[in-house]
Amino acid sequence: MSEVRVGLVIEDDQDIRELVRVVLSQAGFDVHTASTGSAGVTSARELNPDVITLDLGLPDIDGFEVARQIRKSSDAYIIMLTARAEELDTLMGLEAGGDDYLTKPFRPRELRARVEAMMRRPRASSDVKSAPEEADPEMIHNGLAVSAGSRTAILNGTELKLTRTEFDLLLALLETGRIVRTKADLARRLRNEPYDVGSYVSDADERAVEVHMGNLRKKLGDSIQGPRWLETVRGVGYRLAPAANNN
Ligand code: CA
């Protein structure tokens, strides 16, 4: 792990900005900061950070819009920091492109735990240290080709721009096929926990899975009624849609 990881803190409150900067520095990041939304969007484009903490209440552009702007050029892991515990805000934040969120006031060690869980998830093929001859199993389902090694998803010759969270959810369904994955199971998968440890998953965590699945469905152009990939099992979770006959 000699590669330097870059963190970006977008926060207008100086005290919180400094607190988050210290937490990320201690987690081994080369940390940059921005105190406005527009500066944050510019820094995200220039620095290509691995992780971004994004305050939702910024003086110039609101945090949701900042997330949408950043998502145009970045697959960084975005943790949204919200002053309000309202579920609507967090769901809107995830819809706008956030991966995770924390409500202020938060404990530094909580932020550190989120960041470290994220770092255990590979980002791209260059991060994966595997023997060159080791096969990269590519999975193809209804015309969608997904490679776990290079973390790419290709549909009709075009690589989809998925966030890490979206990619991990897609991969989880491809791996288990027609077996139903519960939302709690998928939430644990996103924390990089084995699915049988039974750790606590809140309602909000399950809502977050629903929002990420919705975003993924949009990017795939998949339909709820006649899914090609993401089949919703009402009240339970998700599974891979069956293979189409004409495929
Ligand atoms: Ca603020």
Side-chain angles (χ1 to χ4, degrees), residues 11-13 55 57-58 104:
E11 171 66 68
D12 62 321
D13 182 301
D55 174 30
L58 291 164
K104 294 177 192 170

Side-chain angles (χ1 to χ4, degrees), residues 4 6 9 57 69 132 169 171 175 177 182 196 208 211 218 226 230-231:
V4 176
V6 175
V9 180
Q69 297 280 334
L169 288 174
L171 196 60
E175 283 168 354
T182 65
D196 57 355
V211 173
K218 268 185 232 156
L230 312 181
E231 182 179 316

Side-chain angles (χ1 to χ4, degrees), residues 43-126:
S43 295
R45 201 179 309 137
E46 289 170 355
L47 300 166
N48 188 26
D50 296 274
V51 63
I52 297 172
T53 70
L54 173 59
D55 174 30
L56 284 185
L58 291 164
D60 55 342
I61 321 173
D62 89 63
F64 304 121
E65 183 55 28
V66 173
R68 280 189 281 271
Q69 297 280 334
I70 288 174
R71 271 291 170 247
K72 290 180 186 169
S73 67
S74 170
D75 70 342
Y77 191 83
I78 300 177
I79 302 175
M80 320 206 66
L81 300 181
T82 168
R84 297 156 295 189
E86 281 153 36
E87 192 177 83
L88 188 63
D89 283 347
T90 59
L91 296 185
M92 277 176 67
L94 298 175
E95 264 170 13
D99 290 277
D100 206 347
Y101 63 89
L102 279 175
T103 305
K104 294 177 192 170
F106 56 88
R107 284 172 299 183
R109 69 158 184 250
E110 203 177 347
L111 174 60
R112 172 121 188 211
R114 302 287 175 102
V115 168
E116 286 178 344
M118 178 278 297
M119 285 173 75
R120 289 195 294 269
R121 288 159 56 180
R123 181 179 192 182
S125 52
S126 58

Side-chain angles (χ1 to χ4, degrees), residues 2 15 28 44 48 67 87 92 97 129 173 177 187 190 200 235 238:
S2 56
D15 292 338
N48 188 26
E87 192 177 83
M92 277 176 67
K129 305 283 178 273
L173 294 193
L190 293 180
Y200 178 71
Y238 303 88

Side-chain angles (χ1 to χ4, degrees), residues 159-175:
E159 186 179 337
L160 301 174
K161 292 202 177 306
L162 303 182
T163 66
R164 267 177 281 194
T165 298
E166 289 155 4
F167 186 87
D168 287 345
L169 288 174
L170 178 60
L171 196 60
L173 294 193
L174 281 164
E175 283 168 354

